[in-house]
């Protein structure tokens, strides 16, 4: 079956702009989580969506938001981009909540803010 | 507050020898721990896990050890192979949230 698909793979934006990233989970998976990876910081948890509701949120400013659709696809939005938002954004899907061993990651979206 | 820490950003070992990757955590409420492996331009892939009630889990060349009193876990790879060269992340799970360490770049030299 198809894996987790993230689009676009690469993105270049200027400061002050906003960006929307997309994640299509594995078919049948209902939980989608988003992570930010920067050098030296590992993977920082952004938020988790399950059944179209945000269930969990990390320590990121309100400029970072997301949503999940009825087909479990998820989008992440970052408004008023800052240079420090340059990172690899990873999406992970799992069948249900609380199953970390079954979290499958997409290839990520590399965002560069200039 | 970094609840999961991997203090070694890089590790280099010779093919055939043992690789030991370390991870420390501060929250004793984590339910279980995972190791993920990541190649450049790919998302992390799950490697092995261990429940907080166990102290060892083995899967082929990979063994994870958990020392709860020291809040420390380690991943042993024996024997190491050049294809094991990647960034390894440890992660701790509580509920549905994964908290990752910073990662360790493992290089296995032929």
């Amino acid at each position: 079956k198809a894996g987790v698909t993230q689009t676009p793979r690469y993105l270049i934006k200027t400061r002050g702009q906003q960006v929307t990233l997309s994640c299509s989970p594995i078919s049948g998976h209902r939980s989608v989580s988003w992570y930010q990876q920067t050098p030296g910081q590992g993977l920082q948890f952004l938020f988790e969506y399950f059944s179209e509701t945000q269930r969990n949120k990390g320590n990121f400013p309100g400029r970072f938001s997301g949503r999940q659709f009825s087909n479990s696809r998820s989008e992440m939005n970052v408004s008023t981009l800052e240079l420090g938002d340059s990172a690899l954004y990873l999406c992970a899907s799992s069948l249900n909540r609380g199953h970390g061993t079954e979290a499958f990651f997409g290839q990520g979206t590399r965002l560069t803010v200039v | 507050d970094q609840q999961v820490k991997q203090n070694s950003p890089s590790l280099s070992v010779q093919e055939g020898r043992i690789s030991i990757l370390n991870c420390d955590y501060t929250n004793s409420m984590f339910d279980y721990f995972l190791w993920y492996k990541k190649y450049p331009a790919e998302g992390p892939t799950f490697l092995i896990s261990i429940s907080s009630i166990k102290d060892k889990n083995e899967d082929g060349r990979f063994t994870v050890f958990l020392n709860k009193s020291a809040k420390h876990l380690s991943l042993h790879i024996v024997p190491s192979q050049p294809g094991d060269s990647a960034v390894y992340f440890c992660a701790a799970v509580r509920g549905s949230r994964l908290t990752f360490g910073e990662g360790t770049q493992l290089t296995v030299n032929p």
Side-chain angles (χ1 to χ4, degrees), chain A:
Chain A
K1 57 183 174 183
V4 179
T5 304
Q6 289 187 248
T7 56
R9 289 292 311 279
Y10 302 93
L11 206 48
I12 299 176
K13 290 284 190 178
T14 56
R15 275 182 301 175
Q17 284 188 307
Q18 69 91 29
V19 67
T20 299
L21 312 180
S22 179
C23 173
S24 294
I26 291 172
S27 177
H29 283 197
R30 298 165 62 197
S31 174
V32 174
S33 296
W34 288 89
Y35 295 84
Q36 180 196 66
Q37 185 191 2
T38 53
Q41 291 294 315
L43 280 75
Q44 305 286 318
F45 174 77
L46 279 153
F47 25 65
E48 180 211 359
Y49 285 88
F50 183 81
S51 293
E52 302 177 63
T53 303
Q54 187 180 92
R55 304 289 181 158
N56 224 332
K57 191 177 191 309
N59 298 323
F60 278 82
R63 300 185 296 108
F64 292 81
S65 63
R67 58 178 175 168
Q68 187 180 34
F69 302 95
S70 58
N71 62 358
S72 294
R73 189 177 71 85
S74 177
E75 286 182 347
M76 190 193 96
N77 186 279
V78 188
S79 62
T80 320
L81 283 165
E82 300 176 0
L83 295 178
D85 297 332
S86 295
L88 178 68
Y89 290 88
L90 290 158
C91 158
S93 83
S94 56
L95 192 59
N96 288 303
R97 303 187 68 209
H99 290 263
T101 54
E102 296 154 3
F104 296 87
F105 283 84
Q107 291 183 290
T109 295
R110 172 72 63 187
L111 171 64
T112 302
V113 182
V114 297

Side-chain angles (χ1 to χ4, degrees), chain B residues 4 7 9 25-26 39 42 47 50-51 67-68 70 74 86 89 97 102 105 109:
Chain B
V4 180
N7 291 312
Y25 61 96
T26 57
Y39 293 115
E42 294 183 15
L47 203 55
I50 187 166
S51 165
N67 182 333
K68 287 186 286 295
S74 60
F89 291 97
R97 180 189 290 208
E102 304 93 330
Q105 171 69 57
N109 302 302

Side-chain angles (χ1 to χ4, degrees), chain B residues 5-42:
Chain B
K5 283 197 68 65
Q6 293 176 256
N7 291 312
S8 298
S10 63
L11 174 68
S12 183
V13 298
Q14 211 59 33
E15 180 179 6
R17 306 295 291 267
I18 184 171
S19 294
I20 300 177
L21 298 139
N22 294 302
C23 181
D24 296 297
Y25 61 96
T26 57
N27 189 344
S28 57
M29 301 298 289
F30 288 125
D31 302 312
Y32 51 98
F33 303 87
L34 321 170
W35 284 94
Y36 279 83
K37 174 179 174 180
K38 185 180 184 298
Y39 293 115
E42 294 183 15

